[in-house]
Amino acid sequence: MKRISLKVAVCLLAGSFLFSSCYVGQYSLFNKYVDWQTNMTGNKFVNAIVGFIIAPIVGSVCLLADTLVLNTIEFWSGSNPAQANIGKTKQVMGQDGRYYAVTTLQNGYEVKAPTGEITYFIHNAENNSWSMEQNGIKKEIFHFDANGNIQATINGEQKQFTTDEAGVYQARMAANDGVFFAMN
């Protein structure tokens, strides 16, 4: 009988853990990658071509990270770090120094002020926009256009901003009427 080398024994042991019938995690990172890859453009042929190019590298890394790291964390802690914490509430200090309760929803956030007033920030995946709803009144804050730029209504005017540093600066200046304050 031949001696089994240490490398072969380690590979067999790792395979028995990785390919056992025990399904431990949800493979959240890999599933997010698959969703992104299949919906990155409106053309399924372009998605397939890009998928063939990046899947061997990106898909393998996502699957390996899920299998070895994220699912292990999920098994021991009960929550997967790659998943949004839907239904979880955090206390966040506002600019006014008061604490607000921010709850993560499936499609956005619920913000409860110390006064009890509730505001919803809702993402609409169909038109790629964010809206604010308060006291039953819903108002779109901004949306992304076909070029990836942001279309926002600021001070009653429809404005367009790019998604780089210059665009963020322009949006801040437009929202504050050209006055910009630095904060510590």
Side-chain angles (χ1 to χ4, degrees):
M1 196 159 128
K2 294 182 180 180
R3 282 184 63 155
I4 297 176
S5 71
L6 182 62
K7 288 181 183 178
V8 172
V10 168
C11 288
L12 289 173
L13 184 62
S16 68
F17 283 120
L18 292 175
F19 302 113
S20 67
S21 63
C22 180
Y23 183 77
V24 176
Q26 297 179 12
Y27 291 89
S28 299
L29 181 64
F30 182 74
N31 289 332
K32 285 181 183 182
Y33 160 71
V34 169
D35 288 341
W36 171 81
Q37 193 271 318
T38 55
N39 299 313
M40 73 177 109
T41 68
N43 187 329
K44 65 181 177 182
F45 299 108
V46 173
N47 292 349
I49 291 168
V50 173
F52 284 128
I53 295 169
I54 66 172
I57 298 166
V58 179
S60 299
V61 169
C62 289
L63 188 60
L64 185 66
D66 252 339
T67 303
L68 297 179
V69 179
L70 298 175
N71 287 346
T72 304
I73 293 171
E74 182 178 359
F75 176 77
W76 290 106
S77 71
S79 66
N80 191 317
Q83 284 183 315
N85 293 322
I86 297 172
K88 302 249 176 152
T89 302
K90 287 188 175 184
Q91 297 294 322
V92 178
M93 184 186 291
Q95 291 179 345
D96 58 0
R98 299 185 304 172
Y99 283 95
Y100 294 79
V102 179
T103 304
T104 305
L105 306 173
Q106 183 72 31
N107 62 340
Y109 301 95
E110 174 190 275
V111 179
K112 186 173 184 180
T115 59
E117 185 176 274
I118 296 176
T119 305
Y120 295 96
F121 293 95
I122 302 167
H123 179 254
N124 184 339
E126 291 176 12
N127 63 1
N128 205 8
S129 68
W130 279 90
S131 301
M132 180 178 84
E133 184 177 335
Q134 192 174 38
N135 299 326
I137 300 170
K138 189 174 182 180
K139 178 178 145 185
E140 182 180 280
I141 301 170
F142 68 90
H143 70 271
F144 293 95
D145 64 13
N147 298 326
N149 294 322
I150 295 173
Q151 300 288 328
T153 303
I154 297 180
N155 298 328
E157 293 182 42
Q158 184 75 15
K159 298 190 179 198
Q160 179 177 344
F161 304 102
T162 57
T163 55
D164 57 4
E165 286 183 48
V168 172
Y169 176 77
Q170 290 171 347
R172 283 183 178 169
M173 296 305 278
N176 295 317
D177 293 325
V179 180
F180 184 71
F181 296 99
M183 294 180 65
N184 296 3

